[in-house]
Amino acid sequence: MDIELSYDRAGRLCAIGGTEISYKRRDKRPRTLGSWSIEYQRFSSLLSAVGGVEITYRRWSSLPRTVGQWSCEHSRSGAQLLRIGPHDLRYDPHGGNVCGVGPLEIFYGEHGSSPIRSQLPGRGDSLSDELLLMLFLTLFWQEQTREAREAYYQARR
């Protein structure tokens, strides 16, 4: 099954397959994923919940510790998220982009810019809620990391 990843004019991810992602006007932070509301920690851009699934972080860090009942595993350096519960994350060895979450594969546009589609082996009509959440979180956290890296390099110029 192919899952198209759509973007709005501002370059924000606005749909995963048939599931819309909404934003407040001029806000980079998503507010809903389909019918699920997205909540953030107070005075922060860290997700605290998507729908009824709570997200916790390591103390004084933006590294996710749990997603609902699942624990998260990171590389020793903390630079890469390796697993969310039963779902392994796979990375492109050249660009460092996430190229897979569990059974999902993620494909990027030219020059590895933005993810443009995902693929789930086999045939199906829709993405399960669990895999939709894992794909959204992975893409969201990857974008946050990219933005933080860009801000760091801009500040050093």
Side-chain angles (χ1 to χ4, degrees), residues 3 14 21 24 27 38 43 45 53-54 61 74 77 84 91 106 109 111 124-125 127-128 133-134 140-141 144 151-152:
I3 302 143
C14 65
I21 299 168
K24 284 188 177 176
D27 194 353
I38 298 173
F43 307 117
S45 62
V53 179
E54 184 179 351
S61 170
H74 301 85
S77 67
I84 303 172
Y91 291 85
I106 301 170
H111 311 293
D125 298 10
L127 194 58
S128 72
L133 178 61
M134 292 304 108
F140 178 84
W141 286 327
Q144 273 194 325
Y152 172 78

Side-chain angles (χ1 to χ4, degrees), residues 29-31 37-41 45-52 55:
R29 301 183 312 173
R31 290 297 172 186
S37 64
I38 298 173
E39 299 172 28
Y40 296 87
Q41 291 182 0
S45 62
L46 293 178
L47 291 172
S48 62
V50 177
I55 300 164

Side-chain angles (χ1 to χ4, degrees), residues 2-132:
D2 279 335
I3 302 143
E4 184 179 347
L5 304 174
S6 304
Y7 295 85
D8 64 13
R9 290 180 184 164
R12 303 175 299 190
L13 182 63
C14 65
I16 297 175
T19 304
E20 289 188 28
I21 299 168
S22 70
Y23 296 81
K24 284 188 177 176
R25 191 175 194 163
R26 295 190 183 120
D27 194 353
K28 292 183 105 174
R29 301 183 312 173
R31 290 297 172 186
T32 63
L33 173 63
S35 62
W36 299 333
S37 64
I38 298 173
E39 299 172 28
Y40 296 87
Q41 291 182 0
R42 184 177 224 141
F43 307 117
S44 173
S45 62
L46 293 178
L47 291 172
S48 62
V50 177
V53 179
E54 184 179 351
I55 300 164
T56 63
Y57 296 85
R58 290 185 180 176
R59 191 173 194 176
W60 311 112
S61 170
S62 61
L63 297 174
R65 190 179 61 177
T66 63
V67 173
Q69 65 186 18
W70 296 329
S71 57
C72 297
E73 183 182 325
H74 301 85
S75 61
R76 284 186 182 249
S77 67
Q80 287 186 331
L81 180 61
L82 301 175
R83 174 184 289 278
I84 303 172
H87 303 287
D88 287 326
L89 276 72
R90 297 176 305 284
Y91 291 85
D92 171 10
H94 305 293
N97 289 325
V98 177
C99 62
V101 180
L104 290 167
E105 288 184 70
I106 301 170
F107 299 93
Y108 291 80
E110 291 184 32
H111 311 293
S113 56
S114 296
I116 55 171
R117 69 181 177 90
S118 183
Q119 189 172 49
L120 181 63
R123 295 185 183 258
D125 298 10
S126 63
L127 194 58
S128 72
D129 288 349
E130 180 179 306
L131 289 176
L132 174 64

